Amino acid sequence: MKEAIKANTRYIYKAILFCVVFTGLFVIFSFAKNFFPNNSERLTHGVIGTLAAFLTSFLFLKFDKKQFSDIGLFFQRNTVVKFFAGVIAGCIIMGLLAISVLYFSNVTIEVNPGSNFLHFLLVTLPLIPLAFMEELGFRAYPLEVLKNKIGIRLSIIITSILFALYHIANGWTIASSFSGPAIWGLIYGLAAIYSKGIAMPTGIHYAANLVTSAFGAANNTVSIWTIKQSNTSTTKYQRIDWTTILPSLALLVFAIICLELYMRRKTTTKTGIANSEARY
């Protein structure tokens, strides 16, 4: 029993080390951004992060004597389909959250006359490599290493916490990291395990950032809609901004329900297979 616990702990440490190395390489590689124009910062950021994630994966796989295909990193005919399925799911989830926030907030929305949908999609294309690099860094090697050793549920939770800590290291507050990325990490992790790859969670991740970028200030030339603050009373109670907390809680409940339904379905499937084999 103790040996099993030690073995499982070793894999947790390995996942943590992977994320630390990825973050470290990302910071080192980020100095190269100085050689690129400022207007391509997000694209450069995403490409550099992707290179850091690939290099980290290569080093750890080399140590494990494994290949990229062993952790689901290979292109299939349905990879693009999974990505766009994720985009649709992400737009629905984030769209509903955005609508709820706007409904309970004291703001008004107007169509941005300085932008159009095609321009918006082109300008926000760098969000794809930005999403891909983080999925590669947290939902590929770390999740694959953990899920077969400590179980699906715990592996998703651990990688979600690591995802939040990564954002803290990038300057986010503790509250925003655990109320945002950590909760989204549960959804991304479940999508990665369900779809057996990172194409779907990358699509969800991209869509979540895309919907967020669709709303901006009045002087924004990228966003599709502009947000204006009204003069009505605020939605804060005892200094708590419920317009950000309630959507996060709703997303957390949604993620937990989806995870438990998946686990129940997986258990039922295994039980059915075992009973079928027992008959023969």
Side-chain angles (χ1 to χ4, degrees), residues 98-107 233-235 242-243 246-247:
I99 290 171
S100 66
V101 170
L102 294 171
Y103 180 79
F104 291 107
S105 301
N106 302 309
V107 298
S233 58
T234 66
T235 54
W242 292 103
T243 59
L246 289 178

Side-chain angles (χ1 to χ4, degrees), residues 138-159:
F138 293 91
R139 255 69 65 176
Y141 183 89
L143 190 60
E144 286 294 323
V145 164
L146 291 175
K147 74 174 187 179
N148 295 325
K149 300 299 179 181
I150 64 174
I152 291 174
R153 187 182 288 107
L154 191 56
S155 65
I156 291 176
I157 293 173
I158 290 175
T159 52

Side-chain angles (χ1 to χ4, degrees), residues 6-225:
K6 286 183 179 179
N8 292 341
T9 304
R10 181 166 64 89
Y11 284 102
I12 294 174
Y13 287 149
K14 182 182 283 189
I16 295 173
L17 180 61
F18 179 95
C19 295
V20 170
V21 173
F22 161 62
T23 305
L25 288 176
F26 188 21
V27 171
I28 295 172
F29 290 175
S30 292
F31 288 104
K33 289 195 296 184
N34 297 324
F35 299 99
F36 296 90
N38 293 331
N39 58 2
S40 64
E41 182 182 1
R42 286 204 297 186
L43 178 60
T44 306
H45 193 80
V47 172
I48 289 174
T50 300
L51 291 175
F54 264 119
L55 179 57
T56 309
S57 301
F58 173 78
L59 293 174
F60 276 74
L61 289 172
K62 197 74 174 176
F63 180 81
D64 293 342
K65 297 180 180 179
K66 293 182 178 180
Q67 298 178 341
F68 283 104
S69 58
D70 294 323
I71 57 172
L73 288 178
F74 59 97
F75 190 85
Q76 296 176 298
R77 286 183 297 178
N78 61 349
T79 296
V80 176
V81 175
K82 288 181 180 179
F83 171 77
F84 281 106
V87 171
I88 294 172
C91 285
I92 293 173
I93 296 170
M94 193 63 196
L96 291 173
L97 289 176
I99 290 171
S100 66
V101 170
L102 294 171
Y103 180 79
F104 291 107
S105 301
N106 302 309
V107 298
T108 56
I109 318 172
E110 295 179 1
V111 175
N112 187 357
S115 180
N116 60 71
F117 189 66
L118 181 59
H119 175 256
F120 169 72
L121 290 179
L122 289 174
V123 173
T124 55
L125 272 178
L127 293 176
I128 296 178
L130 284 170
F132 179 70
M133 76 165 192
E134 292 184 342
E135 295 311 305
L136 185 59
F138 293 91
R139 255 69 65 176
Y141 183 89
L143 190 60
E144 286 294 323
V145 164
L146 291 175
K147 74 174 187 179
N148 295 325
K149 300 299 179 181
I150 64 174
I152 291 174
R153 187 182 288 107
L154 191 56
S155 65
I156 291 176
I157 293 173
I158 290 175
T159 52
S160 296
I161 293 173
L162 291 173
F163 192 46
L165 294 176
Y166 159 81
H167 280 80
I168 293 174
N170 277 279
W172 288 45
T173 64
I174 295 175
S176 61
S177 296
F178 279 93
S179 63
I183 299 175
W184 278 104
L186 299 175
I187 295 175
Y188 300 150
L190 179 59
I193 289 176
Y194 171 77
S195 63
K196 299 179 181 179
I198 61 171
M200 183 176 288
T202 298
I204 298 174
H205 197 152
Y206 161 66
N209 292 336
L210 186 70
V211 173
T212 303
S213 300
F215 301 92
N219 59 349
N220 192 304
T221 59
V222 176
S223 62
I224 300 175
W225 296 286

